[in-house]
């Protein structure tokens, strides 16, 4: 994996969506099919010896990486979405954001008891979203083996917020 190229392809957008935040924009990576393919290969390689039953992607950029990864690893894909988006029966979890709170949901029949789940999102920031995603999968009896990210804002110490200490946290690129 060409880490330098990946790093220069993900662009910084200052002050988006609010002043003081540097938004990591992955859309240029979506324009580079060879590099995008490398990212998917890299993550699937990392987990090839893990017993993964399903991949759960966090809305919305977790879908962009999660579905091709699921196809590559030949396992089903499960969407974890923001409140009110999933049509069938759901379970939900609320979690704290820097300002206010948010709710994510999953279909209650999407994960079966004892299934090994890999959670994917584009970016690990404060860890709140991933921690909630792990908990919601666990509510359904799923066993979260790992969570994977293209990018980790390591200076925010998101890893520490993840309560399940046995689930591996994997990121291709770390910003320190
Ligand atoms: P957190 O719960 O703080 O770990 O935030 C993770 C979620 O917010 C992910 O779905 C990211 O896509 C998004 N996110 C948080 N901070 C950024 C950022 N600086 N640039 C791009 N996306 C971000």
């Amino acid at each position: 994996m060409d880490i330098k190229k990946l790093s220069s392809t993900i662009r910084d957008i200052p002050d988006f969506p609010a002043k003081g935040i540097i938004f990591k924009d992955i859309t240029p990576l979506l324009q580079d099919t060879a590099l995008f393919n490398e990212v998917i290969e890299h993550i699937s390689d990392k987990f090839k010896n893990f017993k993964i039953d399903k991949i759960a992607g966090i809305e919305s950029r977790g879908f962009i990486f999660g579905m091709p990864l699921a196809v590559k690893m030949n396992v089903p894909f499960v969407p974890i979405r923001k409140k009110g988006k999933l049509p069938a029966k759901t379970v939900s979890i609320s979690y704290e954001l820097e300002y206010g709170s948010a709710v994510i949901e999953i279909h209650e029949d999407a994960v079966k008891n004892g299934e090994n789940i890999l959670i994917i999102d584009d970016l690990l920031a404060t860890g709140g979203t991933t921690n909630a995603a792990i908990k919601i999968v666990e509510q359904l009896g799923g066993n979260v083996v790992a969570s994977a990210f293209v990018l980790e804002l390591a200076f925010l110490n998101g890893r520490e917020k993840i309560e399940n200490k046995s689930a591996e946290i994997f990121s291709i690129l770390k910003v320190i």
Side-chain angles (χ1 to χ4, degrees), residues 11 16 20 25 29 35 40 54-55 71 90 99 110 114 116-117 135 154 169:
R11 68 183 166 192
F16 183 89
D25 178 21
L29 172 60
L35 190 61
I40 299 303
K54 286 175 183 169
I55 290 172
V71 170
T90 58
Y99 301 103
N116 286 335
I117 309 296
K135 282 175 139 175
I169 302 162

Coordinates of all heavy atoms in Angstrom, one line a residue, residues 11 16 20 25 29 35 40 54-55 71 90 99 110 114 116-117 135 154 169:
R11 N -7.7 14.9 1.1 CA -7.4 16.3 1.3 C -8.0 16.9 2.5 O -9.1 16.5 3.0 CB -7.8 17.1 0.0 CG -9.3 17.2 -0.2 CD -9.6 17.9 -1.5 NE -11.0 17.7 -1.9 CZ -11.5 18.0 -3.0 NH1 -10.8 18.5 -4.0 NH2 -12.8 17.7 -3.2
F16 N -14.6 23.1 8.0 CA -15.8 22.4 7.6 C -16.0 21.2 8.5 O -15.1 20.4 8.8 CB -15.7 21.9 6.1 CG -16.9 21.2 5.6 CD1 -17.9 21.9 5.0 CD2 -17.1 19.8 5.8 CE1 -19.1 21.3 4.6 CE2 -18.3 19.2 5.4 CZ -19.3 20.0 4.8
G20 N -12.7 25.7 12.8 CA -11.7 25.0 13.6 C -11.5 23.5 13.3 O -10.6 22.9 13.8
D25 N -11.3 14.9 3.6 CA -12.2 14.6 2.5 C -11.6 13.5 1.7 O -10.5 13.6 1.0 CB -12.3 15.9 1.6 CG -13.1 15.7 0.4 OD1 -13.9 14.8 0.4 OD2 -13.0 16.5 -0.6
L29 N -9.9 10.2 -3.3 CA -9.6 8.8 -3.3 C -10.6 8.0 -4.1 O -10.2 7.0 -4.8 CB -9.5 8.3 -1.8 CG -9.4 6.8 -1.6 CD1 -8.1 6.3 -2.2 CD2 -9.4 6.5 -0.1
L35 N -5.8 3.3 -6.5 CA -5.5 3.5 -5.1 C -6.7 3.0 -4.2 O -6.5 2.4 -3.2 CB -5.3 5.0 -4.9 CG -4.7 5.4 -3.5 CD1 -3.4 4.7 -3.3 CD2 -4.6 6.9 -3.4
I40 N -8.9 -1.3 -0.4 CA -9.7 -2.4 -0.1 C -8.9 -3.7 0.1 O -9.1 -4.5 1.0 CB -10.8 -2.6 -1.2 CG1 -11.7 -1.3 -1.3 CG2 -11.6 -3.8 -1.1 CD1 -12.4 -0.9 -0.1
K54 N -19.5 -11.2 8.9 CA -20.2 -10.0 8.3 C -19.4 -8.8 8.5 O -18.7 -8.6 9.5 CB -21.6 -9.8 8.9 CG -22.6 -10.8 8.4 CD -24.0 -10.7 9.1 CE -24.9 -11.8 8.6 NZ -26.1 -11.9 9.4
I55 N -19.6 -7.8 7.6 CA -19.0 -6.5 7.7 C -20.2 -5.5 8.0 O -21.2 -5.5 7.2 CB -18.2 -6.1 6.5 CG1 -16.9 -7.0 6.5 CG2 -17.9 -4.6 6.5 CD1 -16.1 -6.9 5.2
V71 N -17.6 -7.5 -0.6 CA -17.6 -8.3 -1.8 C -16.3 -9.0 -2.0 O -16.2 -10.2 -2.2 CB -17.9 -7.4 -3.0 CG1 -17.6 -8.1 -4.4 CG2 -19.3 -6.9 -3.0
T90 N -35.9 -2.2 14.0 CA -34.5 -1.8 14.3 C -34.3 -1.8 15.8 O -35.2 -1.8 16.6 CB -34.1 -0.4 13.9 OG1 -35.1 0.5 14.5 CG2 -34.2 -0.2 12.4
Y99 N -21.2 18.3 20.9 CA -22.4 19.1 21.3 C -23.6 18.3 21.0 O -23.8 18.0 19.9 CB -22.4 20.4 20.5 CG -21.2 21.3 20.7 CD1 -20.2 21.3 19.7 CD2 -21.0 22.0 21.9 CE1 -19.0 22.1 19.9 CE2 -19.9 22.7 22.1 CZ -18.9 22.8 21.1 OH -17.7 23.5 21.3
A110 N -30.2 -8.2 11.4 CA -29.0 -8.1 10.5 C -27.8 -8.9 11.1 O -27.0 -9.3 10.3 CB -28.7 -6.6 10.4
G114 N -23.7 -14.6 18.1 CA -22.4 -15.3 18.0 C -21.7 -15.0 16.7 O -20.6 -15.5 16.5
N116 N -19.3 -13.2 14.0 CA -18.2 -12.3 14.1 C -18.3 -11.2 13.2 O -18.4 -11.4 11.9 CB -16.9 -13.2 13.8 CG -16.5 -14.1 14.9 OD1 -16.9 -13.9 16.1 ND2 -15.9 -15.2 14.6
I117 N -18.2 -10.0 13.7 CA -18.4 -8.8 12.9 C -17.2 -7.9 12.8 O -16.5 -7.7 13.8 CB -19.6 -8.0 13.5 CG1 -20.8 -8.8 13.8 CG2 -19.9 -6.7 12.7 CD1 -21.5 -9.5 12.6
K135 N -21.4 -1.3 20.3 CA -22.4 -1.7 21.4 C -23.7 -2.2 20.7 O -24.4 -3.1 21.2 CB -22.7 -0.5 22.2 CG -21.6 -0.2 23.3 CD -21.9 1.0 24.0 CE -21.7 1.0 25.5 NZ -21.9 2.3 26.1
A154 N -5.2 10.2 15.4 CA -4.7 9.6 16.7 C -4.6 10.6 17.8 O -4.7 10.2 19.0 CB -3.4 9.0 16.4
I169 N -8.4 -2.6 16.8 CA -8.6 -1.3 16.1 C -7.5 -1.2 15.0 O -6.3 -1.1 15.4 CB -8.6 -0.1 17.1 CG1 -9.7 -0.3 18.2 CG2 -8.9 1.2 16.3 CD1 -9.5 0.6 19.4

